[in-house]
């Protein structure tokens, strides 16, 4: 390692988890008014709107959701700690104090180097990371930040491209209603690095080191967000040209508006990848959303023994694929961190799909599960439909 300064964080922990498994929480109701999602908390306004059109609860969703334990007869998963909070903005790295490039075991298991021999990804392929934002100054991410061509040469506060989001040069913060999607939780930065950390001789390498990442912040410092902001972020991603959406979040509340938004994204050619969650349960019989929605590529976590760890949700009727999700080293605000969870598995799959869509026109939302299934490696658990993703075989098969 070059240098041993305190700036670079190398820590081991479980992926953050914030929700229980009882009744879904909500904040007001939401309705689509004049083509936009409106959050309604005033009873008079609610009566006015909801008496004439569809409304539903504005459900709370969570990063790396789930802490439900299994029944007493089954071993309980390890508790999921609260998220580590980072002050924002993240410090600008000292480029003389960076760790040497680390090639992790997960990429060997997935045969990522074989895929890279054919394609390291195409810059025109954009992956929307709908999460807690990212560290915009991280040296492993800066080069692969998506740039909105309609805002080049613009200034803060102005909406140069007329899309109703002023100066959204590198994404948007839907929670704070501002153009700066800086991460104050860490979760989004970690998932972004797993997808597209650039191969630059230091730090880590993403599964698709040449694709672009579009940071869309809707989860706050505590890892919580709402379906209203999630819907807005998904619509933005589709409108602005993302080909893949990585969603490492969820909750127990079913949203018809969210389901419709994801269905619309699929029809527009966007592949939606979502975490199965960390409750150790079958989400085919006890659904979580968005992972349990039709058309979503739901991802479980796997470990080095090609098994699902005890925390990972499963369900062969719903969960298509597993990916390494235990002890994953990736970018983090101010450095790097090792985390575990289905949140860490999901960007592995999103990155692999990003490689594939840039390599072959046959990779569409309608065909992606077929591609993933026929190239997957076997896994010992019956709770995943296809097995564990093999990135090398996926790209070679195309």
């Amino acid at each position: 390692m070059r240098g041993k300064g305190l700036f670079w964080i190398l820590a081991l922990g479980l992926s953050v988890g914030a929700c229980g498994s009882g009744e879904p929480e909500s904040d007001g109701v939401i309705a689509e008014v004049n083509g936009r999602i409106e959050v309604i908390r005033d009873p008079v306004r609610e009566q006015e709107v909801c008496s004439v059109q569809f409304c539903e609860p504005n459900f709370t969703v969570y990063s790396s959701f789930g802490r439900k334990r299994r029944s007493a007869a089954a071993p309980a998963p390890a508790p999921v700690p609260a998220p580590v909070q980072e002050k924002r903005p993240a410090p600008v790295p000292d480029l003389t104090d960076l760790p040497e490039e680390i090639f992790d075991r997960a990429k060997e298991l997935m045969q990522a180097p074989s895929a890279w021999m054919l394609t390291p990804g195409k810059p025109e392929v954009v992956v929307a990371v709908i999460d807690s934002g990212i560290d915009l100054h991280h040296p492993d991410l800066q080069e692969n930040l998506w740039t909105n061509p309609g805002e080049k040469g613009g200034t803060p506060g102005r909406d140069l491209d007329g899309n109703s989001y002023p100066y959204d040069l590198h994404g948007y913060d839907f929670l704070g209603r501002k153009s700066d999607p800086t991460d104050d939780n860490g979760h989004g930065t970690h998932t972004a690095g797993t997808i597209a950390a650039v191969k630059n001789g230091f730090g880590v390498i993403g599964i698709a080191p040449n694709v672009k990442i579009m940071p869309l912040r809707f989860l706050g410092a505590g890892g919580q967000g709402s379906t209203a902001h999630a819907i807005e972020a998904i619509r933005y991603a589709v409108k602005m040209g993302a080909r893949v959406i990585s969603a490492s979040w969820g909750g127990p509340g079913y949203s018809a508006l969210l389901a419709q938004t994801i269905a619309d994204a699929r029809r527009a050619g966007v592949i939606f990848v979502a975490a199965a969650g960390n409750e150790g349960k079958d989400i085919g019989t006890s659904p979580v959303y968005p992972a349990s929605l039709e058309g979503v590529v739901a991802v479980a976590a796997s470990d080095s023994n090609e098994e699902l760890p005890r925390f990972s949700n499963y369900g062969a009727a719903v969960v298509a694929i597993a990916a390494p999700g235990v002890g994953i080293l990736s970018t983090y605000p101010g450095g790097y961190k090792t985390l575990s969870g289905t949140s860490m598995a999901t960007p592995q799959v999103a990155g692999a799909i990003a490689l594939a869509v840039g390599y072959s026109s046959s990779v569409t939302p309608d065909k992606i599960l077929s591609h993933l299934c026929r190239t997957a490696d076997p896994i010992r658990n019956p709770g995943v439909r296809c097995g564990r993703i093999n990135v090398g075989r996926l790209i070679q098969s195309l």
Side-chain angles (χ1 to χ4, degrees), residues 145-158:
L145 266 181
W146 170 77
T147 297
N148 179 359
E151 292 290 353
K152 283 185 176 180
T155 56
R158 291 188 60 196

Side-chain angles (χ1 to χ4, degrees), residues 9 12 47 73 79 128 141 143 149 159 181 184 186 189 231 244 249 256 272 279 283 338:
I9 304 168
L12 178 63
Q47 175 63 27
L141 300 177
E143 188 175 328
D159 183 14
D184 61 353
T189 300
I231 289 167
V244 183
W249 45 268
F272 194 99
E279 299 168 293
I283 64 170
T338 300

Side-chain angles (χ1 to χ4, degrees), residues 9-353:
I9 304 168
L10 291 171
L12 178 63
L14 286 175
S15 174
V16 297
C19 80
S21 53
E23 292 298 314
E25 298 178 359
S26 63
D27 175 24
V29 300
I30 55 176
E32 186 155 10
V33 180
N34 297 323
R36 298 181 69 89
I37 295 295
E38 179 180 337
V39 180
I40 305 169
R41 300 183 181 90
D42 176 66
V44 175
R45 176 63 175 163
E46 181 177 339
Q47 175 63 27
E48 175 187 327
V49 172
C50 301
S51 63
V52 296
Q53 67 182 69
F54 175 76
C55 292
E56 66 179 13
N58 182 28
F59 290 116
T60 303
V61 295
Y62 310 84
S63 62
S64 265
F65 49 104
R67 294 195 296 181
K68 181 179 179 181
R69 295 183 178 275
R70 298 187 182 192
S71 65
V80 183
V84 176
Q85 301 304 321
E86 296 291 328
K87 293 181 179 180
R88 62 184 301 183
V92 178
D94 175 3
L95 297 181
T96 65
D97 190 27
L98 294 167
E100 293 177 357
E101 195 166 72
I102 298 168
F103 185 76
D104 60 272
R105 171 66 174 153
K107 292 182 180 64
E108 292 179 355
L109 284 173
M110 294 183 289
Q111 297 184 19
S114 297
W116 295 337
M117 290 178 66
L118 296 174
T119 177
K122 292 186 176 180
E124 56 265 35
V125 175
V126 179
V127 181
V129 181
I130 300 180
D131 209 291
S132 62
I134 72 168
D135 177 354
L136 300 174
H137 300 293
H138 202 292
D140 266 349
L141 300 177
Q142 279 183 309
E143 188 175 328
N144 282 341
L145 266 181
W146 170 77
T147 297
N148 179 359
E151 292 290 353
K152 283 185 176 180
T155 56
R158 291 188 60 196
D159 183 14
L160 203 61
D161 62 357
N163 68 354
S164 301
Y165 298 100
Y167 198 58
D168 51 325
L169 184 63
H170 297 301
Y172 198 74
D173 177 359
F174 296 92
L175 182 63
R177 311 308 304 180
K178 58 182 185 296
S179 61
D180 178 9
T182 294
D183 185 4
D184 61 353
N185 175 277
H187 192 265
T189 300
H190 199 278
T191 61
T194 299
I195 295 167
V198 68
K199 183 173 174 57
N200 52 13
F202 56 79
V204 295
I205 312 169
I207 290 293
N210 279 14
V211 306
K212 299 300 182 185
I213 46 177
M214 177 191 291
L216 303 178
R217 179 179 184 262
F218 89 109
L219 299 174
Q224 296 187 14
S226 71
T227 50
H229 289 141
I231 289 167
E232 192 175 2
I234 294 166
R235 291 180 176 182
Y236 177 97
V238 174
K239 181 178 181 179
M240 302 307 291
R243 297 290 306 279
V244 183
I245 290 174
S246 183
S248 289
W249 45 268
Y254 171 78
S255 165
L257 289 170
L258 178 62
Q260 184 62 55
T261 298
I262 292 173
D264 291 343
R266 180 187 173 111
R267 280 191 290 273
V270 179
I271 299 171
F272 194 99
V273 188
N278 304 321
E279 299 168 293
K281 71 178 184 180
D282 185 341
I283 64 170
T285 57
S286 300
V288 296
Y289 303 101
S292 295
L293 293 173
E294 184 177 355
V296 170
V297 180
V299 183
S302 63
D303 60 22
S304 59
N305 295 320
E306 303 290 29
E307 296 180 332
L308 302 188
R310 288 186 298 169
F311 64 76
S312 180
N313 285 351
Y314 57 93
V318 175
V319 182
I321 198 85
V326 177
I328 304 301
L329 178 68
S330 187
T331 50
Y332 204 74
Y336 301 91
K337 192 167 186 175
T338 300
L339 297 173
S340 298
T342 58
S343 280
M344 286 64 251
T346 298
Q348 312 270 19
V349 176
I353 292 172

